[in-house]
Amino acid sequence: MKLYKYGNPEAERILIQMVDDHDLAGIEQEIALIREMTGLDFYLLAIKVDSWNKDLSPWPAPAVFGRENFGDGARDTLKEILKYTGEAGKTYYLGGYSLAGLFALWAAMQTDVFAGIAAASPSAWFPDFYEYVQKHAMKTSAVYLSLGDKEHKSRSPVMATVEDKLRGIYAQLQMQPLKSTLEMNPGNHFRDPELRTAKAFAWVLQHTDII
C-alpha cells in the first residue's frame, strides 16, 4: 500500500480513503468539493491498495465481472490503516467509493476508531454482506450511504441486487443509535465518483462532533 497526503497535517479532522489509480486522478477535485461544501479544515490520507479485489474484501467471493475473484484481505488492510489513527486529539473518518465504501462499512463493525463512515456507491451486492450487517452493529456515530439510481440495472444478477441490499442496510442502520442517511444520485455506478465521494465525506463531517 502507498500513502498520499493532502491538506493540513495539523487539522483535527483526518479523512482516510482507500483508493486506486482512478480515484487518485480525481482526488484534487474531490478535496476541493469537500472544502466548498463544508468550509472545514481537514487532512486527507489516500491509501492506494495493491490489489483492489483482495485488499478490500472481507471474505472470499467469486468474480462478478472479469475473472478476478475477491479475496479476504480486509482484515490485514484495516490493521495497516489503524496505524495512522493513534494521534490524540484527532477525529478520524473512513470512506471510499465502490468496494472501498463496502470496506469502510465493514471496518465500522470491527472498530470504534472512526467517528463517521462515508460509503459512496458501496458494493452492497457483495455476497453475504447484507446478512453480515443484520448481525453486527456499527461502532460509529454517523454513516452516509449513496447509490446511483441506475446502478441496479446491471447484467450481473448479483450486482443487480445492489439497491435492494443497500436499502436493507439503511433500514438496519436506522434502528441503531447513530446518524445515517441514504442519498440516491442520478446515473450508473461510474457517474460522478469524485462528487459522490465528496458528498459522502462532507455529510459525515457535518454530522459528527470533533473530539
Side-chain angles (χ1 to χ4, degrees):
M1 290 186 286
K2 188 173 181 179
L3 177 65
Y4 299 83
K5 305 174 183 179
Y6 303 89
N8 177 15
E10 303 302 319
E12 296 176 317
R13 301 170 180 87
I14 312 298
L15 312 184
I16 298 176
Q17 180 178 346
M18 311 309 294
V19 300
D20 60 8
D21 287 329
H22 185 271
D23 295 314
L24 286 172
I27 200 79
E28 296 283 1
Q29 178 187 355
E30 176 192 321
I31 291 169
L33 286 167
I34 298 171
R35 287 179 176 146
E36 179 182 329
M37 293 173 185
T38 67
L40 297 173
D41 192 23
F42 60 87
Y43 191 41
L44 190 147
L45 303 179
I47 302 176
K48 183 184 176 186
V49 297
D50 299 320
S51 173
W52 187 258
N53 281 13
K54 177 181 183 296
D55 295 340
L56 298 178
S57 300
W59 47 77
V64 294
F65 49 86
R67 298 182 178 179
E68 185 181 357
N69 292 331
F70 296 93
D72 59 352
R75 197 165 297 279
D76 289 337
T77 299
L78 180 58
K79 289 180 182 178
E80 288 299 312
I81 66 175
L82 287 177
K83 295 176 182 179
Y84 301 106
T85 65
E87 189 173 352
K90 304 288 187 179
T91 301
Y92 296 92
Y93 302 84
L94 179 64
Y97 197 82
S98 193
L99 193 59
L102 180 94
F103 169 79
L105 291 170
W106 172 84
M109 293 179 278
Q110 317 306 313
T111 178
D112 62 359
V113 166
F114 304 107
I117 298 297
S121 288
S123 304
W125 49 262
F126 194 86
D128 300 323
F129 188 75
Y130 172 80
E131 291 77 12
Y132 188 85
V133 173
Q134 307 308 305
K135 299 176 182 178
H136 298 81
M138 295 279 176
K139 303 175 182 180
T140 186
S141 59
V143 178
Y144 174 98
L145 304 171
S146 72
L147 197 68
D149 59 12
K150 295 182 180 179
E151 291 199 45
H152 67 284
K153 296 181 179 180
S154 171
R155 295 180 180 178
S156 164
V158 175
M159 297 179 73
T161 66
V162 65
E163 184 171 334
D164 287 342
K165 294 288 180 64
L166 193 61
R167 289 189 183 279
I169 291 170
Y170 177 50
Q172 179 69 14
L173 295 181
Q174 288 181 297
M175 295 188 287
Q176 298 180 30
L178 52 81
K179 299 175 184 177
S180 62
T181 190
L182 169 59
E183 180 175 3
M184 298 300 295
N185 295 299
N188 62 21
H189 185 67
F190 302 101
R191 181 172 171 179
D192 301 325
E194 294 83 11
L195 175 60
R196 293 186 191 180
T197 308
K199 289 198 293 183
F201 274 120
W203 191 89
V204 294
L205 283 171
Q206 292 171 322
H207 289 80
T208 52
D209 298 321
I210 63 172
I211 297 172

